[in-house]
Structure formats: C-alpha cells, structure tokens
Amino acid sequence: MVARARTADRQGSFSGNRVERAIIDIGSNTVRLVVYGGAPRAPVVLFNEKVAARLGREIAETGRLADEAIELAMRGLRRYALLLADLKIDKVDVVATAATRDAANGEEFLDQVRALGFAPKLLSGREEARISAMGVLGAFPAAEGIVADLGGGSLELIELSEGTTGKGITLPLGTLRLPEYSGDSFAETKANLRPVLARADWADDASGTLYLVGGTWRAMAVYAMLERNHVLTDPHGFTLDYGEAKVLAKAIASADPEVLRAIPRISSMRAASLPDAGALLSAVLKKLRPDQVVFSSWGLREGLLFDDLETYARAQDPLLAGVGEFASLRGTPPLLAARIAGWTARALPASTLGERETGRERIREAATLLCLAAMQIEPNLRVDLAVDWSLHKRWIDLDPAGRAMMAATVCGNGNQLDLPAALYDLASKEQLEEAICWGLAIRLCRRLGGRSTKLYQLSKLQIEGDQLVLSIDASHSDLFGLPNEKDLALLASRLGLEPKVEILDSLSTK
C-alpha cells in the first residue's frame, strides 16, 4: 500500500491530486463516471464523464430498459472499466437508480454490469433520497429543510433536520417522465402534477429551505445567474427567496427550448427538459412554500462519500479541508498558514460579523492559505488568479460574502487596494475593509520573516490603544527592514492607528 502511494506521488497524478476513489452512477438519463481525489471532507473531481444512454426513455410505455439504451450504457461502462483498471483504483462504487429499479429487465442489465467486474448496488427510492440528502448535509453542515433530488426517472423528497434525515418519498416525476403530465397550459400542467406531489403529505407547507439537487435544477440556476449578471459562476450555493424562485420557475416553464439551448453552459439535453422541470418546480414551491431555495451541486455521489466518513471526519470544516488541500499542492503547508493567522490575530480590526466570530476566523484562515499559495506563482498572475480562486472555485460551506472577503484579502496581500467593483455586490464595505486589513497583516508577516519559524517566537504584532505595535527581540532587531517599515505603516494607516516598533531585550510569545 505504501509503495502504491509513493508511485502515485512520483507520477504526479492529476497535477498533484492522488486518485482515491471512483463512483459510477447509473441513472435514468446518464451513466456517469466520476473520479475523486483531494481531502476526504472536501473531495475534488479529477475526472467526470457521462454517456447520455437515457435508460429510462421507454419505462412508461414498455416497462423495460430499451435495448439500444442498454448498449449505449454498456459501451460507456466497458470504457470506464478499462480506465479504472489502468488507474488502479481499488475503491469503486457502482449505484443504479430509478430506471433500473423500475424496469422489468433491470436485473438482466445489472448482470451485464457484473460481468465487467463491477458490483452494482441497486438503490431503493428511500435509500436514494437518503444518500442525496447526505450529500446536501456534507455541503451545507447546518442544512435544515427539504431536499428535492430531480433525476431522469424520479423525484426524491426528504427532510433534513438536526444533522440527520427524516421522512422521505420517491415520486415518478423524473425529467423523462414529466412529459406525461404536460397540459395545454402552465396551470393545467401544474394541476396534473398536484395529485402525485400530494403523496408527500408530510411535506405540506414545510417552509424553511428547499435544497435542489440534480443537473436540471442546476441548469435553472445557471439561467438565473446569467439573467442577473451574477458575479459568481458556480451554481452551487446559489440562493433565491420564495418569490424569486416562483418567478424563475414560471419563466423557465414558458421558455422555448431552442432559446435555452443557445445559452452558454446549458446542454441540449437539459434545455429540452427545462420547461417541464420549471412547471414541476412551480408545483413543488406551491406545495412546500419554502422561505428560500438553495441549489446544491452535491447530491447522490457526494452523499456516498460523506456517508462513508467516520464521525470525526464528518465534523471537519469542509472549507478549511478543501482550501488546505488545494494550498498544500501549491507549496503552502497548512501549519505555516496557521502560524501566520495566529501571529496576525492581535492586530485585527473589530469584526464586522458580530457574533459570528467562528465564521470570521475560518474565512480568515482560508484566505491566508490562498494568499500564501498565490505567492508560489508569477507576480503578474498571482493577485488576479487568487481572486478567481476565491470567487469561482467550488469551495464548500462558503457564502458569497465570504468569497468576497477572501478575494479582498488576497488583494491586500498583493498591495492592490483598489478592489474589483464586483466584490461590492457580494459583501459590505465594512466586511471588505476588514478583509483588506487581513491581507495587509499577512503581507507584513510573510515579508518580515519569510518562512522563518523564529519569527513567531521572537516577535509579535498587536494593537495597544491608538498604536499598532510591532515588538521584536533584540537578537533579531535587524530583521526589520525598509520594506517592513512601509508594510507596518500601511496597515496601521488602514486601521486608523499610529505605527510603532519596539525592540525588547527578551521577548517570548510562547
């Protein structure tokens, strides 16, 4: 086992991310292979490929998986088997959902899958709903509400409360089945959907948050983000209030699929099913009346990963786990970032986040990691690239204001204090000013001592009254140079303080 790990390190698999695990998701629309690496609490997708086999296309008419669909699926699965063997991935989960579950020849199809060496698990509707909800819980640790997972063959609804799943149901309302309910008008289609949704009698007027899982829902989020010229690009975590979601659902339901198909990042397959899905969303909203709608890119596959974690691993902060792994692969040890975060902690402005002290600190530590990772690349690229990392990379459990604060921090670290205008659409001026000061403090620390561990024992930075005081042990007084003088003065000015340097005969911060 050790030899394999070392081999993977030497090969530099997937630009530094070692391949850890793969999942094959045999759905009603697509058969997908996803290869994961990165931190177990915040897995990174290293490879993602799908075959649009549309296994569930004839279920309503014949009750069977179509022969042509099976052949398309098997062609993709044979390719996946070869890829996985070459990558030497031992941990491969193969799961099948609604179409295979409902088809009369579903077991015969799974026998063909087994012949390739896979061990497919046929999920019940209840288990499919539970695992999708676990994916949402992994992405949003404080999630409370109802998860709606829309696939090709079914819609799963399940409760989330106090870190666990509650009542759930699977309904025959997948995107391949929705045309059966289409009426001559938007109102008629909703009326046709109502009796099926009524089976989820426990979910009436649930309020709270509705978490939407599935590629078709995410395509709606992409549409909404483009319509609003939204600053961010990742639909994961995109949030609408109840009224906004109702408007979106109606607009999608009445949209021309050809117009939708022309929109960047909306595939032809998604465009064709979006109008029916818009009517479904409208009906779901009317039934549940949630306070808000949150789109989640984490669902069934990520739920499988999260469900397998030990309790202690589930409790890890997914933001710090993900950013820590990302920064480590770019030459930044998390311990170094923790030391810098600790050294700068006593020189911070009063928090603009009120009682959310813990939330503030995790964002600051994540931003410190990105600042240090950015220093490993060319000076002409580092700030712009780190801002893109902050805003557009899929960080888990981070809201738009937190993303903007991370971006402002990396700007401060690079002494680029005229922030991109887009950041002010995501966070308040007070939050961004606080984050600039984080970045300037990081800049002072890293330029004062480089990566010297002595710095953290023989110097300290703190606010004393109306002064920002840098104290240095006499043995290392020459460490304070002209660039550091400028950095200290800049941070102090930003804080509305006077800079001061004091040299002490004996200083220990232990």
Side-chain angles (χ1 to χ4, degrees), residues 453-495:
T453 57
K454 289 281 189 179
L455 175 74
Y456 310 105
Q457 285 78 45
L458 298 174
S459 69
K460 64 181 180 180
L461 181 70
Q462 60 187 6
I463 296 173
E464 297 179 4
D466 61 356
Q467 294 180 321
L468 178 64
V469 180
L470 174 62
S471 304
I472 304 178
D473 189 277
S475 65
H476 279 62
S477 61
D478 288 336
L479 201 62
F480 186 69
L482 183 59
N484 316 126
E485 185 177 331
K486 293 178 179 178
D487 292 338
L488 179 64
L490 182 58
L491 175 58
S493 175
R494 206 82 192 191
L495 292 169

Short mmCIF file of all heavy atoms in Angstrom, two decimals, residues 453-495:
data_model
loop_
_atom_site.label_atom_id
_atom_site.label_comp_id
_atom_site.label_asym_id
_atom_site.label_seq_id
_atom_site.Cartn_x
_atom_site.Cartn_y
_atom_site.Cartn_z
N THR A 453 10.70 30.16 11.22
CA THR A 453 9.89 29.82 12.39
C THR A 453 10.27 30.65 13.60
O THR A 453 9.48 30.78 14.55
CB THR A 453 10.04 28.32 12.73
OG1 THR A 453 11.44 28.02 12.94
CG2 THR A 453 9.51 27.45 11.60
N LYS A 454 11.46 31.24 13.60
CA LYS A 454 11.90 32.09 14.70
C LYS A 454 10.98 33.31 14.86
O LYS A 454 10.81 33.82 15.97
CB LYS A 454 13.33 32.58 14.45
CG LYS A 454 14.41 31.51 14.57
CD LYS A 454 14.73 31.26 16.02
CE LYS A 454 15.96 30.36 16.15
NZ LYS A 454 16.30 30.12 17.57
N LEU A 455 10.44 33.78 13.75
CA LEU A 455 9.62 34.99 13.78
C LEU A 455 8.50 34.90 14.80
O LEU A 455 8.20 35.86 15.50
CB LEU A 455 9.03 35.25 12.38
CG LEU A 455 8.04 36.42 12.27
CD1 LEU A 455 8.78 37.73 12.35
CD2 LEU A 455 7.24 36.32 10.99
N TYR A 456 7.89 33.72 14.90
CA TYR A 456 6.68 33.58 15.71
C TYR A 456 7.00 33.51 17.21
O TYR A 456 6.11 33.70 18.03
CB TYR A 456 5.89 32.35 15.26
CG TYR A 456 5.69 32.36 13.77
CD1 TYR A 456 6.42 31.51 12.93
CD2 TYR A 456 4.82 33.26 13.17
CE1 TYR A 456 6.26 31.55 11.56
CE2 TYR A 456 4.66 33.31 11.79
CZ TYR A 456 5.39 32.44 10.99
OH TYR A 456 5.25 32.50 9.63
N GLN A 457 8.26 33.23 17.56
CA GLN A 457 8.67 33.25 18.96
C GLN A 457 9.33 34.56 19.36
O GLN A 457 9.31 34.94 20.53
CB GLN A 457 9.65 32.11 19.26
CG GLN A 457 9.03 30.73 19.36
CD GLN A 457 8.74 30.13 17.99
OE1 GLN A 457 9.58 30.20 17.10
NE2 GLN A 457 7.57 29.55 17.85
N LEU A 458 9.91 35.27 18.41
CA LEU A 458 10.74 36.42 18.73
C LEU A 458 10.14 37.75 18.26
O LEU A 458 10.84 38.76 18.20
CB LEU A 458 12.14 36.24 18.15
CG LEU A 458 12.91 35.03 18.71
CD1 LEU A 458 14.23 34.85 17.97
CD2 LEU A 458 13.15 35.19 20.20
N SER A 459 8.87 37.75 17.90
CA SER A 459 8.20 39.00 17.55
C SER A 459 6.71 38.85 17.78
O SER A 459 6.18 37.73 17.88
CB SER A 459 8.47 39.37 16.09
OG SER A 459 7.81 38.45 15.22
N LYS A 460 6.04 39.97 17.89
CA LYS A 460 4.58 39.94 17.98
C LYS A 460 4.03 41.27 17.46
O LYS A 460 4.72 42.29 17.47
CB LYS A 460 4.12 39.69 19.41
CG LYS A 460 4.48 40.76 20.42
CD LYS A 460 3.98 40.37 21.81
CE LYS A 460 4.35 41.45 22.83
NZ LYS A 460 3.89 41.09 24.20
N LEU A 461 2.80 41.21 17.00
CA LEU A 461 2.12 42.38 16.45
C LEU A 461 0.78 42.50 17.16
O LEU A 461 0.01 41.53 17.21
CB LEU A 461 1.91 42.20 14.95
CG LEU A 461 1.24 43.34 14.19
CD1 LEU A 461 2.16 44.55 14.10
CD2 LEU A 461 0.83 42.88 12.79
N GLN A 462 0.50 43.69 17.71
CA GLN A 462 -0.77 43.84 18.41
C GLN A 462 -1.16 45.31 18.48
O GLN A 462 -0.33 46.21 18.33
CB GLN A 462 -0.70 43.25 19.81
CG GLN A 462 0.34 43.87 20.70
CD GLN A 462 0.48 43.13 22.02
OE1 GLN A 462 -0.13 42.07 22.21
NE2 GLN A 462 1.26 43.65 22.93
N ILE A 463 -2.46 45.52 18.70
CA ILE A 463 -2.98 46.87 18.88
C ILE A 463 -2.90 47.23 20.36
O ILE A 463 -3.36 46.46 21.22
CB ILE A 463 -4.44 46.95 18.37
CG1 ILE A 463 -4.50 46.71 16.86
CG2 ILE A 463 -5.06 48.30 18.71
CD1 ILE A 463 -5.90 46.61 16.30
N GLU A 464 -2.31 48.39 20.64
CA GLU A 464 -2.23 48.91 22.00
C GLU A 464 -2.73 50.35 21.99
O GLU A 464 -2.03 51.25 21.52
CB GLU A 464 -0.80 48.85 22.53
CG GLU A 464 -0.24 47.43 22.65
CD GLU A 464 1.19 47.41 23.15
OE1 GLU A 464 1.73 48.49 23.47
OE2 GLU A 464 1.78 46.31 23.22
N GLY A 465 -3.95 50.54 22.46
CA GLY A 465 -4.53 51.87 22.43
C GLY A 465 -4.70 52.36 21.01
O GLY A 465 -5.38 51.73 20.20
N ASP A 466 -4.06 53.50 20.70
CA ASP A 466 -4.17 54.06 19.35
C ASP A 466 -2.94 53.75 18.50
O ASP A 466 -2.68 54.41 17.51
CB ASP A 466 -4.41 55.56 19.40
CG ASP A 466 -3.25 56.30 20.07
OD1 ASP A 466 -2.31 55.64 20.57
OD2 ASP A 466 -3.30 57.55 20.10
N GLN A 467 -2.19 52.70 18.91
CA GLN A 467 -0.97 52.33 18.19
C GLN A 467 -1.03 50.88 17.72
O GLN A 467 -1.62 50.02 18.39
CB GLN A 467 0.26 52.52 19.07
CG GLN A 467 0.56 53.96 19.45
CD GLN A 467 1.79 54.07 20.33
OE1 GLN A 467 2.02 53.24 21.21
NE2 GLN A 467 2.59 55.11 20.09
N LEU A 468 -0.41 50.63 16.58
CA LEU A 468 -0.16 49.27 16.11
C LEU A 468 1.30 48.98 16.39
O LEU A 468 2.19 49.59 15.78
CB LEU A 468 -0.46 49.13 14.62
CG LEU A 468 -0.20 47.75 14.01
CD1 LEU A 468 -1.11 46.70 14.62
CD2 LEU A 468 -0.37 47.78 12.48
N VAL A 469 1.56 48.08 17.34
CA VAL A 469 2.91 47.90 17.87
C VAL A 469 3.51 46.58 17.37
O VAL A 469 2.93 45.51 17.56
CB VAL A 469 2.91 47.91 19.41
CG1 VAL A 469 4.33 47.72 19.94
CG2 VAL A 469 2.30 49.20 19.92
N LEU A 470 4.66 46.70 16.73
CA LEU A 470 5.45 45.53 16.34
C LEU A 470 6.61 45.42 17.32
O LEU A 470 7.46 46.31 17.39
CB LEU A 470 5.98 45.68 14.91
CG LEU A 470 6.95 44.59 14.43
CD1 LEU A 470 6.28 43.22 14.44
CD2 LEU A 470 7.50 44.91 13.05
N SER A 471 6.64 44.35 18.10
CA SER A 471 7.70 44.12 19.07
C SER A 471 8.62 43.03 18.54
O SER A 471 8.15 41.98 18.08
CB SER A 471 7.12 43.69 20.42
OG SER A 471 6.20 44.65 20.90
N ILE A 472 9.94 43.28 18.63
CA ILE A 472 10.93 42.32 18.13
C ILE A 472 12.01 42.13 19.18
O ILE A 472 12.48 43.11 19.79
CB ILE A 472 11.57 42.80 16.82
CG1 ILE A 472 10.50 43.08 15.75
CG2 ILE A 472 12.56 41.77 16.28
CD1 ILE A 472 11.05 43.60 14.45
N ASP A 473 12.40 40.90 19.40
CA ASP A 473 13.52 40.61 20.30
C ASP A 473 14.80 41.25 19.75
O ASP A 473 15.02 41.26 18.53
CB ASP A 473 13.70 39.09 20.42
CG ASP A 473 14.68 38.70 21.50
OD1 ASP A 473 15.90 38.72 21.22
OD2 ASP A 473 14.23 38.39 22.61
N ALA A 474 15.63 41.76 20.66
CA ALA A 474 16.86 42.45 20.25
C ALA A 474 17.75 41.59 19.38
O ALA A 474 18.45 42.09 18.50
CB ALA A 474 17.62 42.92 21.50
N SER A 475 17.71 40.28 19.62
CA SER A 475 18.56 39.38 18.83
C SER A 475 18.19 39.38 17.35
O SER A 475 19.00 38.99 16.50
CB SER A 475 18.48 37.96 19.38
OG SER A 475 17.17 37.44 19.22
N HIS A 476 16.96 39.83 17.05
CA HIS A 476 16.50 39.81 15.67
C HIS A 476 16.02 41.19 15.22
O HIS A 476 15.23 41.31 14.30
CB HIS A 476 15.36 38.80 15.51
CG HIS A 476 15.84 37.38 15.36
ND1 HIS A 476 16.55 36.73 16.35
CD2 HIS A 476 15.74 36.49 14.34
CE1 HIS A 476 16.84 35.51 15.95
NE2 HIS A 476 16.37 35.34 14.73
N SER A 477 16.54 42.22 15.84
CA SER A 477 16.09 43.58 15.51
C SER A 477 16.40 43.95 14.07
O SER A 477 15.66 44.72 13.45
CB SER A 477 16.72 44.59 16.46
OG SER A 477 18.14 44.57 16.35
N ASP A 478 17.50 43.40 13.53
CA ASP A 478 17.87 43.73 12.15
C ASP A 478 16.93 43.10 11.13
O ASP A 478 17.02 43.39 9.93
CB ASP A 478 19.31 43.29 11.87
CG ASP A 478 20.34 44.16 12.57
OD1 ASP A 478 19.99 45.32 12.89
OD2 ASP A 478 21.46 43.69 12.82
N LEU A 479 16.04 42.25 11.62
CA LEU A 479 15.06 41.64 10.71
C LEU A 479 14.12 42.71 10.14
O LEU A 479 13.59 42.56 9.04
CB LEU A 479 14.25 40.60 11.48
CG LEU A 479 13.53 39.50 10.69
CD1 LEU A 479 14.53 38.64 9.94
CD2 LEU A 479 12.72 38.63 11.65
N PHE A 480 13.93 43.78 10.89
CA PHE A 480 13.00 44.84 10.49
C PHE A 480 13.68 45.76 9.48
O PHE A 480 14.56 46.56 9.83
CB PHE A 480 12.55 45.64 11.71
CG PHE A 480 11.48 46.65 11.40
CD1 PHE A 480 10.20 46.25 11.06
CD2 PHE A 480 11.75 48.00 11.45
CE1 PHE A 480 9.21 47.18 10.78
CE2 PHE A 480 10.77 48.95 11.17
CZ PHE A 480 9.49 48.53 10.83
N GLY A 481 13.29 45.62 8.20
CA GLY A 481 13.92 46.39 7.13
C GLY A 481 12.99 47.44 6.58
O GLY A 481 11.85 47.63 7.04
N LEU A 482 13.46 48.15 5.55
CA LEU A 482 12.68 49.22 4.96
C LEU A 482 11.35 48.74 4.38
O LEU A 482 10.31 49.39 4.59
CB LEU A 482 13.52 49.93 3.88
CG LEU A 482 12.86 51.13 3.20
CD1 LEU A 482 12.51 52.21 4.23
CD2 LEU A 482 13.77 51.69 2.11
N PRO A 483 11.31 47.62 3.66
CA PRO A 483 10.01 47.15 3.15
C PRO A 483 9.01 46.89 4.28
O PRO A 483 7.82 47.18 4.14
CB PRO A 483 10.35 45.86 2.40
CG PRO A 483 11.79 46.00 2.04
CD PRO A 483 12.41 46.75 3.18
N ASN A 484 9.53 46.36 5.41
CA ASN A 484 8.64 46.07 6.54
C ASN A 484 8.13 47.35 7.18
O ASN A 484 7.00 47.41 7.65
CB ASN A 484 9.37 45.21 7.57
CG ASN A 484 10.17 44.09 6.95
OD1 ASN A 484 11.36 43.95 7.18
ND2 ASN A 484 9.52 43.30 6.07
N GLU A 485 8.96 48.37 7.20
CA GLU A 485 8.54 49.67 7.73
C GLU A 485 7.35 50.20 6.94
O GLU A 485 6.37 50.72 7.51
CB GLU A 485 9.72 50.64 7.66
CG GLU A 485 9.46 51.99 8.29
CD GLU A 485 10.69 52.89 8.24
OE1 GLU A 485 11.82 52.35 8.25
OE2 GLU A 485 10.51 54.11 8.18
N LYS A 486 7.43 50.06 5.62
CA LYS A 486 6.33 50.52 4.77
C LYS A 486 5.08 49.68 5.00
O LYS A 486 3.96 50.21 5.05
CB LYS A 486 6.75 50.46 3.30
CG LYS A 486 7.85 51.45 2.93
CD LYS A 486 8.24 51.29 1.46
CE LYS A 486 9.32 52.29 1.08
NZ LYS A 486 9.74 52.12 -0.34
N ASP A 487 5.25 48.36 5.12
CA ASP A 487 4.11 47.47 5.33
C ASP A 487 3.41 47.77 6.65
O ASP A 487 2.17 47.80 6.72
CB ASP A 487 4.56 46.01 5.32
CG ASP A 487 5.03 45.55 3.95
OD1 ASP A 487 4.65 46.18 2.95
OD2 ASP A 487 5.79 44.56 3.89
N LEU A 488 4.20 48.01 7.72
CA LEU A 488 3.63 48.33 9.02
C LEU A 488 2.86 49.64 8.97
O LEU A 488 1.74 49.75 9.50
CB LEU A 488 4.73 48.39 10.07
CG LEU A 488 4.28 48.74 11.50
CD1 LEU A 488 3.36 47.66 12.05
CD2 LEU A 488 5.50 48.94 12.41
N ALA A 489 3.45 50.63 8.31
CA ALA A 489 2.80 51.94 8.22
C ALA A 489 1.50 51.86 7.43
O ALA A 489 0.50 52.50 7.77
CB ALA A 489 3.76 52.94 7.58
N LEU A 490 1.50 51.06 6.37
CA LEU A 490 0.30 50.94 5.54
C LEU A 490 -0.83 50.28 6.32
O LEU A 490 -1.98 50.74 6.28
CB LEU A 490 0.63 50.13 4.28
CG LEU A 490 -0.50 49.94 3.27
CD1 LEU A 490 -1.04 51.28 2.79
CD2 LEU A 490 -0.02 49.11 2.08
N LEU A 491 -0.53 49.19 7.05
CA LEU A 491 -1.55 48.51 7.83
C LEU A 491 -2.06 49.43 8.94
O LEU A 491 -3.28 49.52 9.17
CB LEU A 491 -0.99 47.22 8.42
CG LEU A 491 -1.91 46.45 9.37
CD1 LEU A 491 -3.23 46.08 8.69
CD2 LEU A 491 -1.22 45.21 9.91
N ALA A 492 -1.14 50.10 9.63
CA ALA A 492 -1.56 50.99 10.71
C ALA A 492 -2.47 52.09 10.19
O ALA A 492 -3.50 52.41 10.81
CB ALA A 492 -0.32 51.59 11.39
N SER A 493 -2.11 52.68 9.06
CA SER A 493 -2.93 53.74 8.49
C SER A 493 -4.32 53.22 8.15
O SER A 493 -5.33 53.91 8.38
CB SER A 493 -2.23 54.29 7.23
OG SER A 493 -3.06 55.24 6.59
N ARG A 494 -4.39 52.02 7.62
CA ARG A 494 -5.69 51.45 7.25
C ARG A 494 -6.55 51.21 8.48
O ARG A 494 -7.79 51.28 8.42
CB ARG A 494 -5.45 50.13 6.51
CG ARG A 494 -6.55 49.74 5.56
CD ARG A 494 -6.44 50.45 4.23
NE ARG A 494 -7.64 50.28 3.43
CZ ARG A 494 -7.74 50.61 2.16
NH1 ARG A 494 -6.71 51.15 1.52
NH2 ARG A 494 -8.87 50.43 1.50
N LEU A 495 -5.90 50.92 9.61
CA LEU A 495 -6.61 50.68 10.85
C LEU A 495 -6.90 51.98 11.62
O LEU A 495 -7.56 51.95 12.66
CB LEU A 495 -5.79 49.74 11.75
CG LEU A 495 -5.64 48.30 11.27
CD1 LEU A 495 -4.60 47.57 12.10
CD2 LEU A 495 -6.97 47.57 11.32
#
